[in-house]
Each structure stands twice: as C-alpha cells, then as structure tokens.
Amino acid sequence: MTAFDLPDLVHKIFDDQEVTPDARAILAQPDRQIAVSVPLRRDDGSLAVFPGWRCQFNTTLGPAKGGIRFHPGVTAEECTQLAFWMTIKCALMELPFGGGKGGAQVDPKDLSPLEVERLARGYIGAIADVIGPDRDIPAPDVNTDARVMGWMADEFAKITRRHEPACITGKPVCLGGSEGRTQATGRGALIVLDAWLEREGRKPEDVTVAVQGFGNAGAHFACLAHERGYRIVAVSDSQAAIHDPDGLTPSKLLDYKQKEKELSGALYADSSVKEGNGGEEIAQEDLLALDVDVLVLAAMEDAITEDNAGTVTAPLILEIANGPVTPEADAMLVKDGKVILPDVLANAGGVTVSYYEWVQGRTGERWGAATVTDRLTERMEAIAEACFDRAGDDDIPVREAAYAKAITRIADAISSRGDRSYFAG
C-alpha cells in the first residue's frame, strides 16, 4: 500500500471537532489501492505496457466515486491524493458516495484514436473486478471524455454480460449519460462564484476574470460566466495564454478549438487559444499575476506554489482544478488576505451531476437539461451558503469550513456503527 499522509488541515479539524480515534484511524489510510498493467497493441503491431492504478479511499458513505485520467504524470500517490479529495467532496455535497480515483500513466496524445480505445477497454478489463454501480463508479477526468466513458461502459458490459448504465458516469447522453454532465463542473463553479459575490454585493458585469486552463471545465466555465456578464480578460491552455483587457469571447475560442479537433479527426485538440483570433499572447505565468478580480485555476495540481504565490494579485481565487494551490501557497495567500473558494466545493458540480446520472441509470428515468440544472443549482447554492456561513461564524477560511463539514459527516457515520466508547461500555 502506498503511504499516505493526511494534510495538516485535516489533523487540525480532527482536534477542533473532537473526532473519535476510530474515525481518525479509518480516515488515515485508503480502503483499497490497486496497481495494474495495461498492455496495448499499437497500430504498427508493437506492444506497449502502461502502468495503471485505482484507489478507493473511503466507502463509509457509499460506493467509491471518482474519475479516470490518462496522463504522463499519473502515479499511485496522485491517485490516492485525488481519491482522498473525492472522499471529502462527496461527503461535503451530501452524496451517497465515498471517494475513488484512477488512471494510466500515458500520454494519450501520442496514441491514435484506435489505440486510445484499446487502452480504455484494457484499463477497464484490468479493474473490472472492483468496480460497478454498487462498488466503485468511474467518471471522466484529465484526457478522458464522454466518448472514452462510452467505450469503458461498453467493455464493462461485455465483461459482466449485463447492461449496467450506472456503472460509469459521464457517458454520451445516447448511451445513458445525463443532460448537462459535460458543462456540470464549470456550471457548478459559476454557481459558487455567484453565491460568494452576491454576498459581497458585486454584480457580474463589474467583475474581471482570468482563467488558467481552457479544457472542458475551464472552457465551459468561461463561456457560462461570459453569458452571465463577467468580463473574461485572459485565458490559457497548455500551449499559450492570451489577454484582452476589454474582454474575450470564450465561446468563439471554444468553437474554434472544437472545429479544429473535428477537422483533424483526432480525439485531442492540437490547436491553441492563441490561434482563435482573440487577445494578445502573454506568458502563461503572467496570467497568474494579472490585476483581475477573480483568478480561476482550472488546469492541473500545484499551479500556485510558495515560489509564485507572491505574484498573485487577484483578491479572489476560484479552484476548478483539483489541488491547484499547494498547502504552503494556501497559507501565504490566506495570510495576504486572499479568499480561496476551494476545489472540494467549487468543482463539485461534476460529481453531483454524475450522481444524477447514476440515479437515472438505476431507475431508468430521463431528466431534461433544465431539470438537471435546477437540481444542481439548488444543491450547490445550499452547500456553498452553508460553507460560507461556517467560515464567517468561526472566522476560518472557506476551505477549512468545507473540510470540517465533510469530515464531521464521515466521522458521524463511522461512529454510528459503534466506536470504542460504545464497545467499552
């Protein structure tokens, strides 16, 4: 089992909330970690073998839930960390799930579409014994999308010889996916941002935003925020960053990237936001230091560290990526008076709509886009307001308030099954 160290914040909450020793012990290590090898027959006939992992961190509240990513940086340690965050996120959102995460260490952009399909099916074949609608429900993550989830669900059905639409979420709608799932992470982040700024008496049209990361979540957030009236002055992707103080039109950039992707016939777009005829190109690191009202982090982990935290001028940071601010940088930013709307709250729209897809898959119901959006908005607003209230009442950062609510929920569930005080009489 890969060693895992709980963040210092969690230990603080354990002490502040007087979490029982039993709950502390159970939350200290993952329930299950699985390492697999995924053989892939390349188009030229050669064989490549990629390492893969799946971690189910804690299933006290229900089956594990979490994405699958294909990325060169995937490791056992990363999957464990992400599965822990998913555990917190699902508990915070009051979903009937625990936390899971997995992936394969590979750069899928070096593979053909047929090779990616074989990789997706091979990965599911390797972990099929430990997933399913009542055990562990995967979903999309970095470099995996609805099409990849469709392949995975199909492979799981072949292996089990059962039609299991609730086994994997984030699928195409025609294959049992949910309306609104593709936009859910970005939409949920916007709901959280709206709720915070409404408390501050700020209107969208008076707020400038820079978005680091123009992938699925970041791009849809930018488009939806622009529709709400926010001024998106800068965006970046893995290749470049662009800036226009008068405001960009994110939908044009997204349309351009999607069109180029379709024309190339590739699974992954090679085009960049700099080619979308909008804004002046700037250095990617300069985007983090722009004088804007809101800095949105929607790329990868550790975007802001203690080395560059001092360059951030935005008073409000919205975390759409998982773990984009290191603990050291977080402490520096909070000390400097910055407000951080944390990932476990801000990006929870994706797993929430995945839950709605899971419910629809189990019941055979089909919900329209408006129904999904209404239910997502109602839940996200309620949880966000509860976190903001807790942060204000206890004079703590929003991240600590969110973690406290989640850990208390898990700890209560653990204790309800009996702990030392019960069994010792």
Side-chain angles (χ1 to χ4, degrees):
M1 176 178 288
T2 300
F4 177 74
D5 294 323
L6 286 171
D8 291 341
L9 173 60
V10 175
H11 289 291
K12 178 180 185 300
I13 291 169
F14 281 168
D15 294 337
D16 291 347
Q17 303 301 313
E18 298 182 351
V19 173
T20 66
D22 291 26
R24 294 181 188 222
I26 290 174
L27 283 170
Q29 293 295 331
D31 290 353
R32 171 182 284 172
Q33 294 169 306
I34 301 158
V36 298
S37 295
V38 186
L40 171 67
R41 182 67 63 186
R42 303 295 298 266
D43 292 343
D44 64 3
S46 63
L47 182 72
V49 181
F50 299 101
W53 297 271
R54 185 71 183 173
C55 177
Q56 298 162 356
F57 194 90
N58 184 274
T59 54
T60 299
L61 298 175
K65 186 82 187 74
I68 295 171
R69 58 176 54 182
F70 291 164
H71 191 272
V74 172
T75 63
E77 293 78 11
E78 181 190 60
C79 291
T80 302
Q81 179 65 70
L82 292 167
F84 169 75
W85 284 331
M86 281 299 301
T87 300
I88 298 296
K89 191 184 309 181
C90 290
L92 174 65
M93 296 307 296
E94 301 179 358
L95 304 177
F97 296 135
K101 210 75 171 188
Q105 190 180 89
V106 58
D107 187 351
K109 296 179 181 180
D110 291 338
L111 305 179
S112 72
L114 282 172
E115 289 171 339
V116 175
E117 179 183 5
R118 292 183 208 124
L119 178 70
R121 292 180 180 276
Y123 177 81
I124 288 299
I127 67 168
D129 290 339
V130 298
I131 65 171
D134 296 306
R135 301 185 70 184
D136 183 355
I137 307 103
D141 203 273
V142 177
N143 290 330
T144 57
D145 57 10
R147 187 189 303 274
V148 176
M149 293 302 107
W151 289 333
M152 291 183 172
D154 181 63
E155 188 66 19
F156 187 76
K158 289 181 177 179
I159 292 169
T160 62
R161 297 196 179 277
R162 294 193 307 271
H163 180 59
E164 295 275 16
C167 69
I168 288 174
T169 60
K171 306 180 298 297
V173 174
C174 61
L175 295 179
S178 176
E179 296 282 359
R181 175 60 183 85
T182 301
Q183 303 86 1
T185 303
R187 188 183 299 279
L190 180 59
I191 292 168
V192 173
L193 178 61
D194 282 344
W196 178 265
L197 292 177
E198 185 176 347
R199 285 185 166 227
E200 301 290 304
R202 304 284 299 279
K203 296 181 179 179
E205 54 267 27
D206 299 326
V207 177
T208 56
V209 182
V211 182
Q212 184 211 35
F214 204 71
N216 178 65
H220 284 294
F221 167 83
C223 292
L224 292 167
H226 180 262
E227 291 175 8
R228 285 274 291 132
Y230 291 91
R231 181 150 48 104
I232 312 299
V233 299
V235 300
S236 69
D237 56 21
S238 60
Q239 300 183 47
I242 56 174
H243 174 234
D244 185 344
D246 294 325
L248 299 162
T249 305
S251 58
K252 290 184 178 180
L253 298 172
L254 181 59
D255 288 345
Y256 171 79
K257 294 192 75 169
Q258 290 179 333
K259 182 178 180 180
E260 290 297 305
K261 179 178 173 181
E262 291 171 1
L263 289 174
S264 68
L267 280 174
Y268 305 99
D270 291 326
S271 58
S272 170
V273 292
K274 68 180 180 180
E275 301 161 354
N277 300 317
E280 173 190 3
E281 186 174 357
I282 62 173
Q284 291 171 304
E285 60 270 20
D286 289 345
L287 180 143
L288 299 175
L290 287 174
D291 183 14
V292 293
D293 298 309
V294 183
L295 173 61
V296 178
L297 303 175
M300 293 288 287
E301 297 89 29
D302 301 341
I304 297 182
T305 67
E306 55 187 335
D307 294 330
N308 63 0
T311 68
V312 175
T313 60
L316 180 62
I317 298 168
L318 181 69
E319 295 184 336
I320 299 183
N322 290 307
V325 179
T326 66
E328 297 80 10
D330 184 84
M332 293 172 62
L333 293 168
V334 170
K335 184 177 180 180
D336 197 35
K338 314 294 187 190
V339 173
I340 303 174
L341 302 181
D343 49 2
V344 293
L345 171 64
N347 71 21
V351 70
T352 302
V353 176
S354 274
Y355 163 59
Y356 298 154
E357 180 177 333
W358 179 77
V359 171
Q360 293 172 76
R362 299 197 68 135
T363 63
E365 294 184 9
R366 303 301 302 159
W367 302 348
T371 299
V372 171
T373 298
D374 288 346
R375 294 188 180 198
L376 174 65
T377 302
E378 181 180 6
R379 184 180 291 255
M380 293 288 306
E381 285 181 344
I383 300 298
E385 294 293 349
C387 289
F388 301 158
D389 287 342
R390 178 72 172 267
D393 292 343
D394 295 353
D395 192 23
I396 56 177
V398 179
R399 189 188 311 280
E400 185 172 341
Y403 270 69
K405 289 182 65 63
I407 289 172
T408 298
R409 183 166 182 252
I410 300 169
D412 286 348
I414 292 171
S415 296
S416 70
R417 296 172 180 172
D419 55 21
R420 180 177 180 180
S421 63
Y422 173 80
F423 289 110

